[in-house]
Amino acid sequence: MPEVRPQSRRFLTVKQVTEFHPGISQRTLRHWIFGAKERRSWEKGEIKMIPGNGFDRVMIRKGSKILIDEIALFDWLEG
């Protein structure tokens, strides 16, 4: 059964997202969070930029706390 998109904006923790939407695992969500922004890497002695996946538009980070905008998450998944 397809999931119903929420109508009002709601911010959820990583654990809450996976509880409300069992099709998304915590491991996958944390992978998306890690790859959200552009980051540097070393390859053959040179700095290489790895592009981000755009997930930073879905989340708010305050210190170590991460909140995810549920509507933005579905928009990001569809995009």
Side-chain angles (χ1 to χ4, degrees):
M1 174 183 265
E3 296 180 55
V4 178
R5 287 184 65 172
Q7 297 301 315
S8 62
R9 194 168 175 181
R10 163 168 86 159
F11 292 94
L12 305 171
T13 64
V14 170
K15 186 176 180 182
Q16 288 172 328
V17 170
T18 59
E19 288 172 357
F20 295 136
H21 307 288
I24 302 172
S25 71
Q26 276 194 30
R27 183 178 179 163
T28 298
L29 198 53
R30 293 190 187 283
H31 178 74
W32 292 340
I33 291 167
F34 176 78
K37 290 188 177 182
E38 185 177 73
R39 58 197 185 279
R40 291 182 291 186
S41 178
W42 287 92
E43 185 176 300
K44 299 179 184 174
E46 295 182 14
I47 294 177
K48 177 183 174 186
M49 295 305 288
I50 299 171
N53 60 20
F55 198 75
D56 54 331
R57 293 175 294 201
V58 173
M59 64 182 187
I60 296 173
R61 192 184 294 249
K62 289 288 184 186
S64 63
K65 187 72 164 180
I66 296 173
L67 296 174
I68 297 170
D69 182 340
E70 193 174 22
I71 293 173
L73 171 63
F74 286 105
D75 289 340
W76 181 80
L77 284 171
E78 290 174 0

